[in-house]
């Protein structure tokens, strides 16, 4: 099975600076641009420095429409030169979910940094939360995609 290659259209090829503040996300696996040994680590400022996107949507986790803001997961993966077909995502509570890379290429899957324009608190599923653009397609409003929306995300392994 052929491994997909994430293009680097947004950032171009450049070195990823080391994290200067507490690390929120560690990406491991098949990376071309690690910044901490064989892994890539991101602090809040690094993630906020990527192109930011926002959308408002209803989700199963909140009783009303909420505004989500952050970089697209494909842009985060492009920054590290990720190569692979599968993303194994791990959360604080040891929740693990596999996301096909195809999801990230086909949909504007977001790595949420802000909820209603404020940093996402741990009690609100933060500080990082993967959210699919549920508002764009009824096909995304299923348990398959809801289960891939990992909150309290800490790591991604590129396979």
């Amino acid at each position: 099975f052929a491994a997909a290659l994430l293009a680097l259209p947004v950032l171009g090829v450049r070195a990823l600076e080391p994290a200067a503040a507490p690390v929120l996300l560690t990406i491991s696996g098949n990376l071309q641009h690690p910044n901490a040994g064989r892994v890539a680590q991101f602090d809040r400022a690094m993630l906020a420095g990527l192109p930011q996107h926002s959308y408002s949507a209803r989700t199963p986790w909140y009783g009303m429409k909420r505004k989500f803001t952050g970089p697209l997961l494909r842009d985060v993966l492009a920054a590290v030169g990720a190569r692979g077909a599968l993303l194994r995502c791990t959360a604080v509570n040891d929740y693990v979910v596999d996301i096909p890379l195809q999801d990230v290429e086909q949909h504007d899957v977001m790595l949420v940094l802000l909820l209603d324009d404020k940093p996402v608190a741990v009690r609100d599923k933060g500080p990082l939360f993967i959210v699919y653009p549920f508002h764009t397609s009824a096909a995304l409003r299923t348990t398959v995609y809801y289960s891939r929306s990992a909150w309290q995300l800490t790591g991604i392994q590129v396979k």
Side-chain angles (χ1 to χ4, degrees):
F1 120 45
L5 168 65
L6 285 177
L8 299 172
V10 176
L11 303 173
V13 177
R14 64 175 229 217
L16 186 65
E17 296 296 320
V23 173
L24 294 184
L25 178 66
T26 299
I27 303 177
S28 62
N30 193 357
L31 312 179
Q32 291 183 308
H33 310 296
N35 66 352
R38 297 177 60 167
V39 302
Q41 297 178 327
F42 287 86
D43 59 29
R44 179 173 294 283
M46 293 168 72
L47 293 168
L50 294 170
Q52 301 293 292
H53 301 268
S54 292
Y55 48 73
S56 294
R58 278 195 162 73
T59 69
W61 311 286
Y62 303 109
M64 64 182 127
K65 195 180 247 190
R66 305 294 296 266
K67 180 181 178 187
F68 301 98
T69 304
L72 297 180
L73 189 50
R74 75 173 71 100
D75 291 342
V76 176
L77 295 171
V80 300
R83 291 179 180 261
L86 189 73
L87 307 173
R88 175 151 292 162
C89 302
T90 306
V92 169
N93 64 355
D94 295 325
Y95 179 76
V96 176
V97 66
D98 290 337
I99 297 176
L101 187 59
Q102 185 177 7
D103 280 10
V104 174
E105 294 168 342
Q106 290 181 347
H107 306 290
D108 288 339
V109 178
M110 186 183 294
L111 186 58
V112 177
L113 283 172
L114 302 175
L115 180 63
D116 297 328
D117 299 319
K118 296 179 183 151
V120 187
V122 171
R123 72 179 181 281
D124 269 336
K125 306 188 182 354
L128 298 177
F129 184 7
I130 294 174
V131 174
Y132 279 72
F134 302 116
H135 64 290
T136 63
S137 169
L140 292 176
R141 293 189 292 273
T142 67
T143 55
V144 169
Y145 295 102
Y146 293 148
S147 70
R148 293 177 184 170
S149 294
W151 57 74
Q152 297 178 330
L153 181 73
T154 59
I156 298 173
Q157 181 184 16
V158 181
K159 296 180 160 204

